[in-house]
Amino acid sequence: MADPFKVYASPPKEVLLNPIAWILWLLDVVVWLATIVLPIKWLVSCIPGGAVSVEVKKGEWRLATSKERLLTTPVESARTVHDLMQLSFAKNAARPACGTRKYLGTHKPEGAKFPLQKFGETQWTTYRELGERVKDFGIGLLELGLQPAPAGVDLQTTDKPHCLLIFEETCADWSTACLGAFTQSLAVATSYSTLGISAVAQSVNETHARVIVCNVKDVDKVTSYCQDKCPSLEAGFTLRTTRLCRRSRNLRADSR
């Protein structure tokens, strides 16, 4: 017959001398502390008005819990995204900035369940080349009638042509359009392709956008849908081609 179950007021000697028991006890304490401290820390972080950042000197903000981590900019002369990109274009001029691959269709390798997309070799654009393209694109926006937004203008209420609308999938051209607008103090709004063409028209009207950037495959769709619904829209174009849509009372597609 087995010995009856025994209850000890304190651990037996053989347990106290067992190193594995001490390791298990230590792990138990760590888990116990984590279940108490971490929830408390999370609750404290949710309290509004907590000191997240402090101003150590005029214009320079850091984390309240750190004296090293800068919250605004790593370079004093870079106060905006445009400033930072200009520094990058100059400092990293010969380095690769954007890599793109030409879409070559689909193929179905042996044993594959579904067709796979096929792409060509990566073509790299240097920071110098990207910077030149961004600058030229920004100048082109002014040629199309966009106007730099004055300091203090309320972009939510103004009907002036200060906004560029991008209706394009995320790519190097998307970045070029966005950064090009920033070079001329223009605002950028985006319309996701997954929302459909009606959302594009709504975005144009809400932002009073005069120019829209889109994929070449969407030019005709944008032209036919927006010509009677978007009075502010004057032009739309793609970065991959020179195809341009311009308004001459009715928006139409022209090749240039």
Side-chain angles (χ1 to χ4, degrees), residues 2-239:
D3 294 335
F5 180 78
K6 296 181 179 180
V7 177
Y8 295 91
S10 59
K13 184 178 181 181
E14 57 269 21
V15 174
L16 291 174
L17 298 178
N18 191 331
I20 296 179
W22 285 97
I23 294 174
L24 293 175
W25 283 336
L26 180 61
L27 290 175
D28 184 62
V29 171
V30 170
V31 172
W32 179 77
L33 289 175
T35 57
I36 295 178
V37 174
L38 293 180
I40 293 176
K41 186 176 180 181
W42 176 79
L43 288 173
V44 172
S45 67
C46 294
I47 299 176
V52 177
S53 60
V54 292
E55 187 174 19
V56 294
K57 63 180 182 180
K58 187 176 181 180
E60 183 176 310
W61 292 79
R62 299 180 185 273
L63 287 176
T65 56
S66 172
K67 295 182 179 180
E68 304 297 330
R69 185 173 177 182
L70 188 66
L71 291 183
T72 53
T73 174
V75 183
E76 184 61 31
S77 59
R79 310 304 299 180
T80 65
V81 172
H82 169 70
D83 294 339
L84 193 60
M85 290 308 303
Q86 294 306 308
L87 288 174
S88 297
F89 295 150
K91 182 178 180 180
N92 306 301
R95 294 183 177 182
C98 294
T100 58
R101 296 185 298 167
K102 185 177 180 180
Y103 177 65
L104 301 178
T106 60
H107 68 115
K108 191 174 182 180
E110 184 178 355
K113 189 174 181 181
F114 301 103
L116 304 178
Q117 293 181 332
K118 188 176 182 180
F119 297 90
E121 294 295 324
T122 301
Q123 302 295 321
W124 290 97
T125 301
T126 65
Y127 273 89
R128 180 185 294 108
E129 294 168 336
L130 178 61
E132 292 173 352
R133 197 176 187 204
V134 164
K135 179 182 66 176
D136 292 342
F137 185 86
I139 295 173
L141 292 176
L142 298 187
E143 293 293 328
L144 291 173
L146 269 68
Q147 301 173 7
V153 66
D154 186 356
L155 295 173
Q156 298 289 336
T157 59
T158 182
D159 59 356
K160 301 298 182 182
H162 302 316
C163 185
L164 168 70
L165 180 67
I166 301 179
F167 174 50
E168 174 64 281
E169 297 174 352
T170 304
C171 59
D173 293 334
W174 195 107
S175 300
T176 301
C178 183
L179 296 175
F182 290 165
T183 66
Q184 305 301 325
S185 295
L186 299 170
V188 174
T190 61
S191 182
Y192 296 101
S193 57
T194 54
L195 298 180
I197 190 64
S198 61
V200 176
Q202 181 179 355
S203 299
V204 170
N205 292 331
E206 287 185 356
T207 60
H208 301 283
R210 178 170 292 188
V211 177
I212 180 172
V213 175
C214 67
N215 193 296
V216 65
K217 66 180 176 62
D218 295 321
V219 170
D220 292 333
K221 180 169 62 175
V222 171
T223 300
S224 61
Y225 189 87
C226 294
Q227 62 179 350
D228 298 323
K229 301 178 179 67
C230 304
S232 67
L233 190 59
E234 294 285 345
F237 62 96
T238 75
L239 296 176

